Amino acid sequence: MTIRVDPEGNETRALFDLVDFSNKRVLEIGCGDGRLTWRYANKATHVTAIDPSAEKIALARQQLVDHLHGHIEFHNSAFEDFVTNRARSTFDIVILSWAL
Protein backbone atom coordinates (compact mmCIF):
# COMPACT_ATOMS: atom_id res chain seq x y z
CA MET A 1 0.00 0.00 0.00
CA THR A 2 1.31 3.45 -0.91
CA ILE A 3 0.96 6.11 1.74
CA ARG A 4 0.12 9.54 0.39
CA VAL A 5 0.78 12.42 2.73
CA ASP A 6 -1.82 15.17 2.60
CA PRO A 7 -3.08 14.50 -0.95
CA GLU A 8 -5.73 17.24 -0.64
CA GLY A 9 -3.21 19.83 0.56
CA ASN A 10 -5.03 20.46 3.85
CA GLU A 11 -1.85 20.59 5.95
CA THR A 12 -0.21 23.04 3.59
CA ARG A 13 -3.31 25.21 3.38
CA ALA A 14 -3.61 25.29 7.19
CA LEU A 15 0.06 26.17 7.53
CA PHE A 16 -0.20 29.08 5.10
CA ASP A 17 -3.40 30.27 6.80
CA LEU A 18 -1.45 30.55 10.06
CA VAL A 19 1.73 32.25 8.91
CA ASP A 20 3.24 34.18 6.03
CA PHE A 21 6.70 32.82 5.21
CA SER A 22 7.52 35.59 2.73
CA ASN A 23 10.98 37.02 3.36
CA LYS A 24 11.27 35.25 6.71
CA ARG A 25 14.14 33.32 8.33
CA VAL A 26 12.76 30.01 9.58
CA LEU A 27 14.04 27.51 12.14
CA GLU A 28 12.35 24.12 11.84
CA ILE A 29 12.97 21.85 14.83
CA GLY A 30 12.37 18.17 14.15
CA CYS A 31 12.30 18.44 10.36
CA GLY A 32 12.75 14.72 9.78
CA ASP A 33 13.11 14.00 6.07
CA GLY A 34 11.92 17.49 5.10
CA ARG A 35 8.30 16.51 4.40
CA LEU A 36 7.06 19.85 5.76
CA THR A 37 10.15 21.84 4.78
CA TRP A 38 9.54 21.41 1.05
CA ARG A 39 6.08 22.94 1.37
CA TYR A 40 7.17 26.39 2.53
CA ALA A 41 10.92 26.69 1.82
CA ASN A 42 10.60 28.46 -1.52
CA LYS A 43 8.62 31.27 0.17
CA ALA A 44 11.09 31.87 3.02
CA THR A 45 14.31 33.84 2.79
CA HIS A 46 16.27 31.09 4.52
CA VAL A 47 15.48 27.84 6.34
CA THR A 48 17.54 26.15 9.03
CA ALA A 49 16.11 22.68 9.62
CA ILE A 50 17.35 20.39 12.39
CA ASP A 51 16.66 16.82 13.44
CA PRO A 52 18.47 14.37 15.73
CA SER A 53 18.08 11.49 13.23
CA ALA A 54 21.11 11.19 10.94
CA GLU A 55 19.13 8.94 8.59
CA LYS A 56 16.29 11.45 8.21
CA ILE A 57 18.68 14.35 7.63
CA ALA A 58 20.58 12.31 5.03
CA LEU A 59 17.29 11.64 3.24
CA ALA A 60 16.32 15.32 3.38
CA ARG A 61 19.68 16.36 1.93
CA GLN A 62 19.34 13.72 -0.78
CA GLN A 63 15.93 15.08 -1.78
CA LEU A 64 17.04 18.73 -1.79
CA VAL A 65 16.27 20.17 -5.21
CA ASP A 66 18.93 22.25 -6.94
CA HIS A 67 17.13 25.60 -6.75
CA LEU A 68 16.98 25.34 -2.93
CA HIS A 69 20.70 24.65 -2.40
CA GLY A 70 22.08 27.46 -0.25
CA HIS A 71 18.52 28.34 0.76
CA ILE A 72 18.03 25.46 3.22
CA GLU A 73 20.54 24.21 5.80
CA PHE A 74 19.88 20.73 7.20
CA HIS A 75 21.64 19.91 10.46
CA ASN A 76 21.81 16.54 12.18
CA SER A 77 21.41 17.87 15.69
CA ALA A 78 19.17 17.79 18.73
CA PHE A 79 17.84 21.23 19.63
CA GLU A 80 19.88 21.41 22.84
CA ASP A 81 23.10 20.72 20.95
CA PHE A 82 22.15 23.10 18.15
CA VAL A 83 21.69 26.09 20.47
CA THR A 84 24.79 25.21 22.50
CA ASN A 85 27.14 24.82 19.53
CA ARG A 86 25.85 27.47 17.12
CA ALA A 87 26.59 31.15 16.98
CA ARG A 88 23.68 33.29 18.07
CA SER A 89 21.04 33.54 15.33
CA THR A 90 17.77 35.33 14.79
CA PHE A 91 14.70 33.68 13.28
CA ASP A 92 11.34 35.18 12.38
CA ILE A 93 9.45 31.89 12.59
CA VAL A 94 10.12 28.72 14.57
CA ILE A 95 8.28 25.51 13.72
CA LEU A 96 8.27 22.61 16.17
CA SER A 97 6.15 19.59 15.37
CA TRP A 98 3.45 21.72 13.80
CA ALA A 99 3.57 24.31 16.59
CA LEU A 100 4.38 27.88 15.54
Side-chain angles (χ1 to χ4, degrees), residues 19-98:
V19 66
D20 178 11
F21 288 92
S22 301
N23 302 312
K24 301 291 192 303
R25 295 183 49 79
V26 180
L27 171 62
E28 184 178 347
I29 303 168
C31 67
D33 64 1
R35 178 182 79 82
L36 175 63
T37 314
W38 311 128
R39 298 179 189 194
Y40 69 82
N42 63 334
K43 297 178 183 302
T45 297
H46 189 268
V47 177
T48 302
I50 65 172
D51 197 278
S53 169
E55 295 81 18
K56 298 270 184 166
I57 289 295
L59 184 57
R61 287 178 178 152
Q62 209 173 17
Q63 296 175 15
L64 184 60
V65 294
D66 288 342
H67 75 276
L68 291 176
H69 278 273
H71 188 74
I72 301 174
E73 295 176 42
F74 286 106
H75 296 274
N76 173 216
S77 179
F79 178 72
E80 297 84 5
D81 298 330
F82 178 77
V83 297
T84 301
N85 299 321
R86 180 163 168 109
R88 189 169 239 170
S89 299
T90 302
F91 300 97
D92 302 301
I93 298 168
V94 176
I95 299 173
L96 169 63
S97 300
W98 276 100

